[in-house]
Amino acid sequence: MAWIYYQNLQQFKQEKASLERLLQTTKETFQRETDNLKQELKIAQEKYSSVEAKNKLLQQMNHRKDDFLRQTSHELRTPMNGIIGSLQILLDDLCDDDEEERELLQQAHHSSLHLLTLINQVLDLARIEEGRVSFDIKTIDLHASLTAAIYLQFSNIRQKGLQLYKQDYPHRIQVKADPTKLKQVLINIIGNAIKFTDRGSISINTEIRSIPHSKTQDSEEMAVIIIKDTGIGISPQIQEKLFQPFVVEDESRIQALGSTGLGLVISKNLLEMMGGKIFLTSPGKNQGTIVEIFLPLSDEETSSLDFTA
């Protein structure tokens, strides 16, 4: 009996050990499957979040496109209506004298130029956003480029009776930029300063400034152009929005001043594509505006690079 009992006990122990091993294996398998399911669930959640983010981005882009088209059509209609209205009065022979006819023709001519500028800037912005802008980066003399841009705007400065103060950095500054694109930026910014300044002065200074690098703890030296005017200024709540398409300080003055609200946007994009930056500040309305343009310094006497953004 004792032997039989011993054998049964041993068999029971073996069966118990076998059951414990089976239970442990089952637990491990269950744990692995649970971990796999959690991993798959995490991946699925990440994919869902990615798809959701992309969908949100597409919705924002679609909304931005609709808003851009709406704004563009509105801006195009404004000068077009001015042209049509002036010409219609002339065609209907409703003018009282030659002076009124001349005034209507001048209005139509002004609206035509504004329309052409708007169309060109819309096309420029479209090319920039589609990445179809070619750059020819070279080492250029900053003061020479700045002087050329000022010369093209000098008649407008004299016509408005504004004072121009220009102070160059004591030494020659060479920067890396596309000469044509930089000229376009300088004409845009100086033109804005003139356009929105009825009296007073425009000051243009150049300097070299050490600024913190965006990705490292180091600092880098960059050429800076400071353009300061005594014009209408910008209210604080709209300053950050001025680099968005069609945003201007005073909507009522767009047509009168020929502003399209695209010059700053285009300038910002062009500068960033050339490795530069632009910042705009103003103490407030009717207190003038300061625009700072940053450009990378040339590290070689001559350099040339062709690429497409």
Side-chain angles (χ1 to χ4, degrees):
M1 291 292 293
W3 177 250
I4 294 173
Y5 174 77
Y6 176 76
Q7 284 184 327
N8 289 338
L9 181 61
Q10 289 298 112
Q11 184 178 0
F12 173 76
K13 287 181 178 180
Q14 291 175 358
E15 291 177 353
K16 181 182 178 184
S18 178
L19 286 173
E20 286 177 349
R21 286 194 299 271
L22 178 61
L23 180 61
Q24 183 62 31
T25 302
T26 304
K27 285 182 177 179
E28 291 175 355
T29 302
F30 177 76
Q31 186 62 46
R32 284 196 301 270
E33 291 178 352
T34 301
D35 291 342
N36 289 337
L37 285 173
K38 286 182 178 178
Q39 186 65 25
E40 290 177 2
L41 179 61
K42 183 180 178 180
I43 293 172
Q45 288 176 334
E46 289 175 352
K47 288 182 178 179
Y48 175 78
S49 298
S50 177
V51 170
E52 190 176 32
K54 288 180 180 178
N55 185 53
K56 186 176 180 180
L57 179 61
L58 287 173
Q59 289 178 346
Q60 290 175 348
M61 290 176 65
N62 189 54
H63 177 73
R64 183 183 174 190
K65 180 197 70 174
D66 291 342
D67 187 57
F68 181 80
L69 291 174
R70 178 181 60 80
Q71 289 278 14
T72 303
S73 61
H74 169 73
E75 297 299 330
L76 290 172
R77 283 197 302 268
T78 301
M80 184 62 73
N81 287 336
I83 296 169
I84 294 173
S86 297
L87 294 179
Q88 191 63 54
I89 294 174
L90 289 168
L91 289 172
D92 293 341
D93 197 20
L94 297 177
C95 297
D96 295 331
D97 49 39
D98 292 343
E99 184 178 349
E100 187 175 356
E101 287 184 359
R102 189 178 300 106
E103 183 180 344
L104 287 171
L105 286 172
Q106 288 176 345
Q107 289 177 1
H109 180 252
H110 177 78
S111 296
S112 299
L113 293 177
H114 178 61
L115 182 61
L116 180 61
T117 300
L118 178 59
I119 291 172
N120 287 334
Q121 290 190 335
V122 168
L123 291 174
D124 284 344
L125 188 58
R127 281 193 290 266
I128 289 171
E129 293 188 343
E130 292 175 4
R132 294 189 294 106
V133 182
S134 296
F135 286 82
D136 182 18
I137 303 297
K138 297 179 178 179
T139 294
I140 59 176
D141 187 294
L142 180 61
H143 294 155
S145 297
L146 186 56
T147 300
I150 293 173
Y151 178 77
L152 292 173
Q153 296 282 355
F154 194 68
S155 62
N156 294 329
I157 295 174
R158 292 184 61 182
Q159 187 176 4
K160 297 191 74 172
L162 302 174
Q163 295 293 321
L164 174 66
Y165 301 103
K166 183 174 179 285
Q167 182 176 356
D168 290 334
Y169 189 69
H171 305 291
R172 183 184 183 191
I173 300 179
Q174 288 186 305
V175 296
K176 293 185 291 187
D178 181 306
T180 303
K181 303 297 188 301
L182 179 58
K183 181 180 177 182
Q184 181 179 355
V185 169
L186 293 175
I187 290 174
N188 275 341
I189 303 305
I190 296 172
N192 276 348
I194 299 169
K195 191 181 301 177
F196 295 105
T197 303
D198 293 329
R199 60 181 181 274
S201 64
I202 294 171
S203 302
I204 303 176
N205 301 328
T206 55
E207 63 182 48
I208 293 178
R209 192 182 303 173
S210 182
I211 63 170
H213 198 278
S214 57
K215 297 182 180 179
T216 66
Q217 298 296 327
D218 300 330
S219 60
E220 60 178 333
E221 288 191 333
M222 298 188 78
V224 188
I225 305 170
I226 305 103
I227 301 170
K228 182 178 181 180
D229 64 61
T230 58
I232 64 174
I234 303 162
S235 54
Q237 59 268 26
I238 202 173
Q239 288 182 29
E240 294 183 359
K241 300 178 181 179
L242 281 177
F243 290 101
Q244 299 175 11
F246 300 110
V247 176
V248 294
E249 167 61 20
D250 189 348
E251 292 284 349
S252 64
R253 302 187 67 182
I254 291 179
Q255 189 172 4
L257 296 173
S259 176
T260 63
L262 292 174
L264 281 176
V265 185
I266 293 171
S267 298
K268 179 177 183 293
N269 279 277
L270 291 177
L271 283 169
E272 289 179 350
M273 288 177 178
M274 293 187 291
K277 302 175 183 178
I278 183 170
F279 298 99
L280 182 149
T281 56
S282 173
K285 208 163 185 177
N286 299 318
Q287 298 184 57
T289 304
I290 301 172
V291 176
E292 293 182 320
I293 298 171
F294 291 77
L295 291 164
L297 291 170
S298 175
D299 49 4
E300 298 179 4
E301 188 64 25
T302 57
S303 64
S304 180
L305 173 65
D306 293 329
F307 68 93
T308 301

